[in-house]
Amino acid sequence: MRALDIILMRTFYNIIIRLLAKFRLLCYVYITKKEVNIHGFVDLHTHSDASDGSFTPAHLVHLAKEAGLCAIALTDHDTTAGIADAVDAGKELGVEVIPGIEVSGNYEGHEIHILGLFINPDDPELKAFLKDMRSRRNRRNEEMFRRLAADGISFTDEELFGSNPQTVITRAHVARAMVQEGVLFFCVN
C-alpha cells in the first residue's frame, strides 16, 4: 500500500470517527481472522422489504444470484430483521450475504447515511441503538403524518406497510403511497 493511500484512509477514518462521536452514534469495529475471498461482482448496499426495499430478503438473494452477483450486503434502514433469512438463502444459493445496516444522521444541517458492514445483528448494544433509531424515525413519521393529515392526506396501514407489517416505514413508503393515491406524480424524462 502506498503512503498516500494510507494517509487518505486515515483521514477518511478520522472524519467518520469524528462524525460518529459528534452525534454519539455507536461505532462498531469488528476485526476478524476470517478471510473473505470474493471474486466477482458485488452489491454492498441493498434493501429488503424489512425497510424500504421491494422484495423479501430471500427473494433479494435470488435476484442477486440471477444477476450474477457473488455477494450482497443487506443494509436495511435501522433494522437487522431480514439478515437471518438473507444469510440462509445465500447459503442455499451460493451467494455470500454480508450482514449490514444503514443508519441516518445529520451533520451540519445535511442528512448523512452511514453503512455498517460485517455487523453482528445479535449484539445487544446494536439492538438498543437500533431500537432508539426506530423510535426517532417513528416520531418523525408521526409528525409527517400529522402535517399530511392537516392537508387532507392520509394512508391506510396496508398502503404503507404493504405485505410486511414489520417493515420500518421510511419516506420512500410515504412517497409510494402518495403516488398510488394520485397525490404525488412521478415523472421520468
Side-chain angles (χ1 to χ4, degrees):
M1 199 176 257
R2 298 175 318 174
L4 179 60
D5 293 333
I6 292 170
I7 291 168
L8 290 173
M9 283 177 36
R10 284 185 184 156
T11 302
F12 178 74
Y13 177 78
N14 287 331
I15 289 169
I16 295 299
I17 293 302
R18 279 186 295 198
L19 286 173
L20 293 171
K22 181 170 182 149
F23 296 104
R24 294 178 173 78
L25 296 175
L26 297 175
C27 179
Y28 291 90
V29 179
Y30 292 96
I31 299 171
T32 178
K33 292 183 180 179
K34 178 185 173 193
E35 190 173 317
V36 179
N37 292 312
I38 297 175
H39 301 285
F41 291 101
V42 303
D43 186 342
L44 298 178
H45 186 185
T46 67
H47 297 287
S48 73
D49 66 353
S51 67
D52 62 350
S54 300
F55 305 105
T56 66
H59 190 67
L60 188 65
V61 176
H62 282 276
L63 292 173
K65 179 71 172 183
E66 288 176 9
L69 300 178
C70 66
I72 65 167
L74 183 59
T75 54
D76 282 319
H77 294 276
D78 305 332
T79 183
T80 59
I83 290 175
D85 288 343
V87 167
D88 289 346
K91 287 177 183 172
E92 179 184 313
L93 296 169
V95 175
E96 177 81 21
V97 175
I98 299 166
I101 191 77
E102 181 174 357
V103 294
S104 301
N106 287 297
Y107 179 69
E108 296 182 358
H110 298 284
E111 185 175 22
I112 60 171
H113 298 259
I114 301 169
L115 291 179
L117 300 175
F118 296 99
I119 64 164
N120 176 358
D122 298 320
D123 184 280
E125 289 181 76
L126 177 61
K127 285 182 175 184
F129 172 72
L130 294 176
K131 182 178 179 184
D132 181 58
M133 292 298 292
R134 285 190 301 274
S135 178
R136 290 178 195 202
R137 182 181 294 277
N138 289 340
R139 284 193 301 273
R140 183 195 72 200
N141 288 345
E142 288 170 10
E143 176 61 18
M144 182 171 40
F145 296 143
R146 185 189 64 73
R147 289 180 180 188
L148 289 168
D151 288 332
I153 302 168
S154 62
F155 308 104
T156 65
D157 284 350
E158 185 178 337
E159 289 170 319
L160 291 172
F161 290 94
S163 62
N164 183 358
Q166 301 302 314
T167 192
V168 174
I169 297 297
T170 67
R171 287 174 291 197
H173 291 91
V174 176
R176 276 195 290 260
M178 290 176 79
V179 169
Q180 288 173 350
E181 292 296 307
V183 176
L184 182 68
F185 296 96
F186 180 71
C187 298
V188 178
N189 291 336

